[in-house]
Amino acid sequence: MKDKIELTFPKKASYLSVLRMTASVISSQLDYNIDEIEDIKVMVSEAGVLFINNVPHDEEPLRVCFELTDTGISISITDRNSGEMVVDEGDMGVMIIDSLSDTWQLNLSQKRIILTKKLEKQDNR
Amino acid sequence: MSFNEIKHYQLFKTYIEKDKPIDLRNEIFIEFNYLVDIIARKYLNKGIEYEDLYQVAAIGLIYAIERFDPDKGFEFSSFATPTILGEIKRHFRDKSWTLKIPRRIQELSKKIVLAKNHLQQTLQHTPTIYEIAVYLSVTEEAILEAMEASHLFNLKSLDVSQEVILEGGEYLLLDLLGEEDKKFQYFEDKNFVEWMMDRLNPLEREIINRRYIQNEQTQTQVATELNISQVAVSRIEKKVLEKMKLAYPK
């Protein structure tokens, strides 16, 4: 299975809840348990906050792409606004993402973050 | 026949002729009461109180009186002794094992004691497990099992005082029991937590520290002070605790 969903969201804090809900509905397509879905919700909204706080312009919407495979979900969020992105060392949001995701890549020049969450085998639960 | 023997013979004769009245039985009982005492004393210190032994032996004597036939030509005392003994042994068999052990093992463990004594004589050395097993024609495992079980004949009270000659003075058995040193586990756990904390990212460390180590704050307090959401605190905390559980040495 390899399903791809691409969405854009207005780059406003008030739409983060929509992004969170969307992420949870999409990830529930896979067999994640409640805890893992909570993790995904938190890390997606933290990634959203990261762009809102660190990229000054907000005319262009955030582009969010979900990729579902048999082994897990990969979520990439891209900010296409102009302006330089600077993230402090030890940023809270980054640490939260680091805790909750399996892998994450932040590309400052492309202003894109890619988060993955593996799907644990059912019988390991 | 001695005077006593004639007297006893007459006593039993009348007892049977009069269709075994209870007052006559009591009379005979008092006459032979000494047997009860002698036999019961032989089983002292084997895990049953003297009073209980006496009771059981007395019941044995009553059975013996009931069953005795003076015309068979035996002395009552030689008839009564095995009856009383049997009653006591039965009591030991049924009542004295603190833990109920399969009869097969109970009986085997008694046979082992006998076999050990016998073989010690014939072999001129303390018999090995193998020799006992061959002698009783059972497996060595069964012998070992029965030997182990025979220790359960009775349990020692932890309050029994125990003379410790080396150090002088009395100790309760309870005091001599070993116990796990909780401090060891405490240090191992402490070590583990420190090791784990080194492997967390700064935020995770901060949350665990505030929640559990330094000041046991609530998730909401931690979230407010670190300026993140309570959900994030909850998720990260759960995550870290799960990681710890996985890493904890079994």
Side-chain angles (χ1 to χ4, degrees), chain A residues 36-110:
Chain A
E36 289 160 341
I37 287 179
E38 287 293 332
D39 286 350
I40 291 169
K41 280 165 70 178
V42 172
M43 69 198 207
V44 164
S45 66
E46 287 301 331
V49 169
L50 204 63
F51 290 114
I52 292 173
N53 286 348
N54 296 304
V55 181
H57 294 279
D58 61 2
E59 297 78 25
E60 289 287 321
L62 290 176
R63 202 180 145 138
V64 184
C65 174
F66 299 91
E67 271 187 48
L68 305 175
T69 65
D70 294 322
T71 53
I73 193 167
S74 157
I75 304 161
S76 84
I77 304 175
T78 315
D79 187 340
R80 290 171 300 169
N81 285 291
S82 58
E84 199 163 325
M85 183 175 189
V86 185
V87 176
D88 295 342
E89 182 114 357
D91 182 275
M92 279 298 174
V94 173
M95 282 194 281
I96 294 173
I97 291 167
D98 179 54
S99 269
L100 301 181
S101 63
D102 282 323
T103 65
W104 62 280
Q105 288 173 333
L106 177 60
N107 188 324
L108 288 176
S109 56
Q110 290 184 316

Side-chain angles (χ1 to χ4, degrees), chain A residues 35 39 95 98-99 117, chain B residues 201-204 235 238-239:
Chain A
D35 282 343
D39 286 350
M95 282 194 281
D98 179 54
S99 269
K117 183 90 177 158
Chain B
N201 77 32
L203 176 65
E204 291 170 332
R235 298 316 312 155
K238 188 155 188 187
K239 195 104 200 168

Side-chain angles (χ1 to χ4, degrees), chain B residues 64-123:
Chain B
I65 296 170
E66 294 284 316
R67 293 189 208 128
F68 184 61
D69 182 353
D71 292 324
K72 288 266 164 73
F74 293 106
E75 263 288 300
F76 176 71
S77 54
S78 39
F79 173 77
T81 307
T83 313
I84 296 169
L85 276 177
E87 204 59 29
I88 289 179
K89 281 180 180 165
R90 214 166 64 105
H91 184 74
F92 267 97
R93 189 192 65 191
D94 293 343
K95 299 285 161 57
S96 70
W97 293 68
T98 317
L99 296 176
K100 298 299 174 204
I101 290 158
R103 175 135 311 164
R104 141 187 90 80
I105 292 173
Q106 283 188 29
E107 279 166 4
L108 185 59
S109 80
K110 279 169 199 154
K111 276 191 207 156
I112 290 171
V113 176
L114 295 176
K116 199 183 134 204
N117 292 338
H118 175 77
L119 290 174
Q120 191 136 23
Q121 291 298 316
T122 51
L123 299 173

Side-chain angles (χ1 to χ4, degrees), chain B residues 197 205-217 225:
Chain B
M197 291 293 270
R205 200 155 40 225
E206 189 64 33
I207 290 176
I208 296 301
N209 231 328
R210 283 168 183 265
R211 289 276 294 135
Y212 295 100
I213 298 175
Q214 277 172 350
N215 26 15
E216 303 193 3
Q217 288 179 317
E225 286 180 28

